[in-house]
Amino acid sequence: MHILTKETLPSATRKQEITMIDTKKIEQLARQVHEAMPKGIREFGDDVEKKIRQVLQAQLTRMDLVNREEFDVQTQVLLRTREKLAALEQRLAQLESNATVNAATPGASAPQDVIKTEDPQ
């Protein structure tokens, strides 16, 4: 299970408020907790369920979690970053291989490959 918090997100994403918690899910969870309680406590009725809902809401908010949509976005960003890293590692290996071959060949000129330092995007 992966849990993203606001601290693990890029700073641009952190600026967005990510406290969206599905109230229907909280109500459903509160109802389930209420139903699981002993019958004597359940007789207090709506007050207990309301208090459970408030505590759940407060604790989930305090946990500083991100919603599923933001998690999916960050997963895609990570996948693209890994793909770029793999391509750069492959390119570096190719350049190192070319440099080794050129250094081992007597009278060889300097490598003609140019290394770009910035992504044009």
Side-chain angles (χ1 to χ4, degrees), residues 3-104:
I3 298 178
L4 287 179
T5 64
K6 289 180 186 176
E7 288 76 26
T8 62
L9 295 175
S11 60
T13 305
R14 254 185 270 142
K15 292 177 184 175
Q16 300 172 359
E17 190 58 35
I18 308 176
T19 56
M20 300 171 70
I21 299 173
D22 188 357
T23 55
K24 289 179 184 179
K25 296 258 187 204
I26 291 175
E27 288 175 15
Q28 179 184 12
L29 188 55
R31 204 171 314 110
Q32 288 174 346
V33 170
H34 184 258
E35 290 170 2
M37 294 180 138
K39 188 174 184 177
I41 296 175
R42 270 190 280 155
E43 290 175 357
F44 290 112
D46 293 336
D47 291 338
V48 173
E49 190 172 335
K50 183 178 177 183
K51 185 63 175 173
I52 292 170
R53 195 176 314 115
Q54 289 172 348
V55 169
L56 284 172
Q57 178 78 37
Q59 292 301 317
L60 289 172
T61 300
R62 200 174 109 219
M63 290 174 72
D64 209 18
L65 303 175
V66 297
N67 60 30
R68 183 66 196 194
E69 180 182 346
E70 186 61 31
F71 177 83
D72 291 341
V73 167
Q74 291 304 315
T75 300
Q76 292 303 312
V77 169
L78 178 60
L79 290 174
R80 285 192 306 270
T81 302
R82 285 183 179 167
E83 289 170 358
K84 287 181 181 181
L85 177 61
L88 288 172
E89 287 174 338
Q90 183 179 7
R91 179 70 176 142
L92 178 60
Q94 180 185 16
L95 290 173
E96 287 174 342
S97 174
N98 289 347
T100 303
V101 169
N102 287 338

